[in-house]
Amino acid sequence: MSSRDLRSIGLFTILAFALAWLLALPLWFGDGLASPWFTVVATATMMTPAIAALAVVFFVERPQQKAWTLGLWPLRPVPRVLGYAALGIFVSIALVLAALPVGALLGVYPVDLVNFSAFRQLLDEQVGAAGVAEIPIPIGALIVIQLAALPMAAFINLIPALGEELGWRGWLLPKLMPLGVLPALLISGVIWGLWHAPLILLGYNYPDAPGWLGLTAMVAMCILVGAVFGWLRLRSGSVWPAALAHAAFNGAGASYLFFAKAGEHIDTTQATVLGWSGWIVPLALVVTLIATGRFASAKHPSTPPSKEEGRPPERPATGHVTGE
């Protein structure tokens, strides 16, 4: 890796982190997560990796193929990009949902598959606040409808998720690839996890944990889930499958409420996909991908497309992918 690449990575990281902290300052000096501006701040923060990547690409590196460098274009071969996009959506949802029975079996996720009491309680509160008598749909059917609608969240949440993925997997991961696939995935996952610090240290995602533990858990989850998103990026040669996977992952995050038992505490350092029990399935998936050579056969998105074809050459010019 050249010194110029290291400078670009350093500048990108500093800019992404600085912007995230800058946007979070009103929460730190105000009402924290209880602030009415929290959702706006959190959504705006998701755009900071994209801003950092665009700044480096347009003002520092200035490559000829800027959209390709960010993984935005070209979207071909189309069947491959679309296939990995669809796979990313459903794999992300599956990882979030699989964490629940694993947590229940390990005794860290209080489950209620008979009355769905936590979800029923939440509905009663929302219906009461809206002044409606009751919802004329059985709660089981309502949960099925909610689960069936989860893939739509990938498109509803796409823009903010792309704000992150344009930086982490669109630009940063390929830039780290000269170090090798696994180091690139590990480093990008750690950076992604630490970038969440402004909100995690306020109690976001891990409200009952001390700041250091919440941030450590977030980094661990980001390494594992980021490896899955990274695999989608490398295999497809595009940032779009990773962005859709990220959007679906975020959209499915609250699904743990569907099956939880009312009145029971859920420790997110242990339960749901945020906690250690929820990392078992993504860890197994990543290990399987590594063991079967799926990362080794991933395309290396670090060489610009030829001018004649407008796409990357069949073989990577750098040869940094393990097993090539």
Side-chain angles (χ1 to χ4, degrees), residues 22-41:
L22 182 64
L23 287 171
L25 282 180
L27 302 181
W28 277 82
F29 290 107
D31 297 326
L33 303 184
S35 170
W37 293 98
F38 171 74
T39 301
V40 174
V41 170

Side-chain angles (χ1 to χ4, degrees), residues 29-242:
F29 290 107
D31 297 326
L33 303 184
S35 170
W37 293 98
F38 171 74
T39 301
V40 174
V41 170
T43 303
T45 301
M46 292 179 72
M47 306 307 296
T48 59
I51 294 171
L54 290 169
V56 171
V57 167
F58 277 85
F59 300 109
V60 178
E61 296 186 323
R62 291 180 282 189
Q64 198 168 31
Q65 301 283 348
K66 294 179 177 63
W68 190 92
T69 301
L70 294 164
L72 290 169
W73 194 262
L75 300 178
R76 56 188 180 193
V78 174
R80 183 179 69 194
V81 175
L82 291 179
Y84 279 106
L87 182 64
I89 292 172
F90 288 100
V91 166
S92 289
I93 294 172
L95 291 179
V96 174
L97 294 178
L100 305 181
V102 172
L105 287 172
L106 293 172
V108 295
Y109 173 64
V111 66
D112 180 2
L113 298 179
V114 177
N115 298 312
F116 308 104
S117 53
F119 186 55
R120 187 184 298 275
Q121 184 181 69
L122 179 64
L123 281 179
D124 290 342
E125 292 173 359
Q126 293 177 341
V127 167
V132 180
E134 63 178 71
I135 298 177
I137 302 175
I139 193 165
L142 189 58
I143 290 176
V144 170
I145 293 171
Q146 295 275 350
L147 292 174
L150 286 180
M152 291 301 299
F155 301 96
I156 296 171
N157 299 328
L158 179 57
I159 297 303
L162 182 62
E164 286 198 46
E165 289 304 313
L166 204 61
W168 309 134
R169 259 64 62 174
W171 183 84
L172 179 61
L173 179 60
K175 188 62 66 172
L176 291 169
M177 285 292 284
L179 300 175
V181 176
L182 296 184
L185 292 169
L186 178 61
I187 294 171
S188 62
V190 170
I191 292 174
W192 181 31
L194 292 176
W195 167 86
H196 289 87
L199 299 184
I200 297 297
L201 295 177
L202 284 173
Y204 185 63
N205 280 345
Y206 302 97
D208 302 313
W212 67 268
L213 179 58
L215 189 58
T216 301
M218 192 68 188
V219 169
M221 189 206 70
C222 285
I223 291 172
L224 293 173
V225 175
V228 177
F229 295 169
W231 176 73
L232 293 167
R233 165 69 167 111
L234 297 175
R235 292 287 295 185
S236 67
S238 170
V239 73
W240 292 103

Side-chain angles (χ1 to χ4, degrees), residues 254-276:
S255 58
Y256 74 92
L257 291 171
F258 295 157
F259 311 106
K261 187 176 182 180
E264 295 288 335
H265 176 67
I266 298 176
D267 182 353
T268 49
T269 63
Q270 301 189 63
T272 78
V273 76
L274 295 171
W276 63 264

